[in-house]
Amino acid sequence: MDLSVLEVLEREKVLEVLQRDKILRSLEEERIRKMKLELQEIRRKGAKSFSRQYSERTCARCQRPLGKFWNCGAVCHGCSHRICNKCRINVTAQEWKCTVCHAYREVKIKSGEWFLEERAKKFSADADRHETTGEKLLKSYQRLSTISIVPPTPPPFTEGPSSGRSGGLHSSRPFTKSMENLFVSLTTHIKKISKSQDDVTADPGLLTADYGGIPSKERRSQSDTAINRPFSMTKAPSLPDLFKRAKSDNEEVQRMAEFCTDEDISPGADYHQEKRGSISSVCTELGIFDHNSSVTGEIELALVYNSTASCLEITVNGCKNLAYGDEKRKKCHPYVKIYLLPDKSPHRKLKTTVKKNTTDPVFNETLRYNIELPLLASRTLQASVWHSATLRKKVFLGEVLIPLHEWKFKDNSTQSPTWYLLCPKPGITEGYPGEQYNGTLLIKAKFTPPSQLSTVANPQREEVCMGQLSILVTGVTNLTVSKYSGTLNSFVKGCLSLPGGRELTQRTLPQRRKSNSQWNHQLVFSEVPEANLPGCCLDLELWDHASFSLAHRSLGGAKLEGASSWQQLLQTPNTWYDFTLPMQASASMKKT
Amino acid sequence: MFCAVSTMTDGDYDYLIKLLALGDSGVGKTTFLYRYTDNKFNPKFITTVGIDFREKRVVYTATNSNGTTGKTFKVHLQLWDTAGQERFRSLTTAFFRDAMGFLLMFDLTSQQSFLNVRNWMSQLQANAYCENPDIVLVGNKADLADQREVQEKQAKELADKYGIPYFETSAATGSEVDKAVITLLDLVMKRMEQCVDKPAQEAPNGEGTSKLEAAPPNEKKCAC
């Protein structure tokens, strides 16, 4: 049998195996996703009670009272809460965990998270912690296949009669050749992610030698990589080189990070920076961010209510085993953002600093949220982890939601740091009250057609019949987001998209009014071709201008489109028409 | 302790455990796995191309430390089969990193395949997810008693040296096949618990010295 033909078959055999593996993998991913959602639910149900008196000792999970001498409960080693007999699950004969800690432990085992963690210790700076070799190969094949598979060219029929065998061989050559190349690239790719036996036998000396003088864990792991993966770099760089490289990376990232985080809290920064920051932040809130393929890892938080300062102190100790924010470059610059839902106004947002190049960041930062204790009962603490890389795109790395309505702030046992498993964003359907920007925008619109004089009947030229579209935003009803401040300093951004891609944008000046009073935001779009108006789309976005922090918050957006609406304006020009437009969270956020 | 379950295509299982068989070409990895998953024997030698895998669902009953049986779990086993041939080496070793436990196989009728166990061990140490993964040493083709080249004592000594269990199996008769896989699965299941329950400040592995120190005396399995 021809060897090259065999290799084509081999490659196909391997790919078929990888495809089967892919099916199993997706089944597994779905299972893990469900499991993590269930865990979130268990955690929500078993939250500490806030409503009860401190003097009354209760079990942290079922809230049943605990006695002084019998059934007095015991402290769970996982969460340090006092737990009654019934809410304990035995892990071993001697050891037990509370229901929540046990569920958490189960997920870690059943999802295979334990394996990824163990492996990350050995191959820490290695490729994506989740991606299996099979997945990687399949991807690299798919990438290759779009480039290099060319359909076999039929042989020219000019040659004289030749033996069937050689003719067949000739005809298949271009095909098998490209397949062969494919296999070669496939195997070289494999080499990059593995090592041959020779490397192993050559390595032991190195393995023992270089550990001694290297202090930090991160650096150690880098040296691990250099030793363990000689193929990943054609020339293995020396250790100092590696440090230098890591350092310059860090510096670059730091500059970027400083520029684009700390957004709306620092009052002294210049306006452009603030504006950019606030928009990127609003974007993350409205769902305009990169979704990471998978959410992993945990976050350690401690909640303490400081009654002298009337503030909730949230200590973010750190995270571990985060997914990479930048999967391609294997980078992660995480920071933590905290809201007390449903309030998502930017000035109530808290953020940690950005840690560079780590999936196990240590923050040890205490963030303070000024709020009266009784108000906390209606809040849910949302701690989300983000990857900060470029100026605009934040990558979501996971979040944890802690309902505070049952939290016992006075109980010392609730104040110790606790690890929480990070979860994916809940589906769009299950939003939180304050996240829905409902409400209705009341507007008037009129179209002023071009005067007879300016309508030069010239079919050769395109810019004929330019009219003027006026929009008057008169008010808004049922704006839930405004309930925290009755007075809004609102302004409106409008973007008129014309057929053919042209966009006209307008913005009004802020007006300080009661949210339920009459507004008068006028937007005038001139040079609107009359004939094109029915195909236009008007996006209106309502903003609350924050005068001190310069961080505006979006109150929602609305759309005016559809030929019928515009036809009314065209039929009776120069007349105001009323429209009520339902508002949405981000009808179409334009990053202007 | 284990029994097979039928349906395979749904996500109704508690654990996905990935095991991998490795060893020289022709020691019987594929037939071994075929015997385990389908309880059949195919005497024909068809060399494995690169990699392959088989699946099986089993019910695992946890044993408590006092010896009583505990909860039962559904386990979906993904059993990776690798080509023993040298030319596939770079491909197969790349798959080592995704497996949670290993069936290191040799042929009881081939001294050379036994001598190569040492090489496979170093391959594992380098490529597996940790320095001391769970491994079971399997001497296959035990039914071919007249052709035997490797003595049980010899193999047992090597296994003890590595601190791993040893089984003499026969894919042809099915003898000890289930037991070898089950033992490995049991080790992996215990490892999972240990990994999750151990204190977080434990020194990270990587030095590869912990294996023998950590293992309690009189216990053959490799502890982490």
Side-chain angles (χ1 to χ4, degrees), chain A residues 576-587:
Chain A
W576 288 106
Y577 270 90
D578 287 312
F579 293 93
T580 53
L581 305 174
M583 285 171 71
Q584 280 152 5
S586 58

Side-chain angles (χ1 to χ4, degrees), chain A residues 314-571:
Chain A
I314 304 134
T315 306
V316 184
N317 284 343
C319 304
K320 59 185 183 190
N321 302 308
L322 294 175
Y324 283 109
D326 186 342
E327 299 235 348
K328 273 188 200 143
R329 293 163 65 209
K330 303 301 162 210
K331 294 221 165 199
C332 195
H333 314 304
Y335 68 96
V336 177
K337 191 159 75 171
I338 290 187
Y339 280 112
L340 288 189
L341 299 177
D343 190 353
K344 296 202 84 172
S345 37
H347 64 284
R348 304 304 314 262
K349 173 174 63 184
L350 300 169
K351 285 201 290 194
T352 66
T353 54
V354 177
K355 299 292 167 196
K356 287 94 189 174
N357 283 322
T358 174
T359 50
D360 305 288
V362 177
F363 298 105
N364 284 330
E365 288 176 44
T366 300
L367 307 169
R368 291 179 179 81
Y369 195 97
N370 289 310
I371 187 167
E372 292 302 323
L373 186 56
L375 295 177
L376 275 175
S378 63
R379 301 298 185 92
T380 295
L381 184 122
Q382 178 193 43
S384 51
V385 189
W386 297 83
H387 162 69
S388 167
T390 52
L391 294 179
R392 294 201 172 173
K393 272 193 184 169
K394 310 285 184 200
V395 182
F396 177 73
L397 298 175
E399 69 171 16
V400 59
L401 296 164
I402 307 170
L404 300 178
H405 66 283
E406 292 194 316
W407 195 274
K408 273 193 170 174
F409 286 102
K410 287 177 184 168
D411 191 338
N412 286 333
S413 66
T414 63
Q415 299 181 355
S416 48
T418 306
W419 283 101
Y420 297 92
L421 206 65
L422 289 168
C423 296
K425 282 247 180 234
I428 307 154
T429 45
E430 34 179 308
Y432 286 85
E435 277 181 310
Q436 292 156 358
Y437 293 70
N438 39 23
T440 314
L441 201 61
L442 309 172
I443 69 160
K444 289 172 185 290
K446 80 172 173 184
F447 186 71
T448 313
S451 71
Q452 291 299 321
L453 283 171
S454 67
T455 321
V456 186
N458 188 351
Q460 244 65 37
R461 302 196 45 187
E462 280 178 34
E463 66 267 31
V464 286
C465 301
M466 289 303 193
Q468 190 183 61
L469 178 70
S470 308
I471 303 290
L472 193 64
V473 179
T474 56
V476 65
T477 57
N478 302 325
L479 191 65
T480 48
V481 84
S482 67
K483 71 181 171 196
Y484 304 108
S485 52
T487 309
L488 287 174
N489 200 8
S490 62
F491 67 94
V492 176
K493 277 185 196 171
C495 177
L496 185 71
S497 312
L498 300 163
R502 196 154 70 98
E503 288 186 349
L504 304 170
T505 54
Q506 290 283 317
R507 181 189 151 155
T508 69
L509 289 171
Q511 295 176 354
R512 181 164 283 281
R513 295 279 159 81
K514 287 274 181 204
S515 58
N516 51 1
S517 66
Q518 179 95 40
W519 294 350
N520 187 23
H521 289 298
Q522 188 162 9
L523 300 158
V524 178
F525 299 95
S526 48
E527 298 211 327
V528 179
E530 191 175 357
N532 285 348
L533 190 62
C536 283
C537 174
L538 175 68
D539 284 306
L540 293 170
E541 179 122 23
L542 185 62
W543 291 79
D544 184 21
H545 179 96
S547 33
F548 296 110
S549 68
L550 291 171
H552 316 315
R553 61 172 167 158
S554 169
L555 302 174
K559 242 185 214 316
L560 179 61
E561 62 185 334
S564 61
S565 311
W566 302 120
Q567 286 298 347
Q568 289 181 329
L569 303 185
L570 290 173
Q571 275 162 13

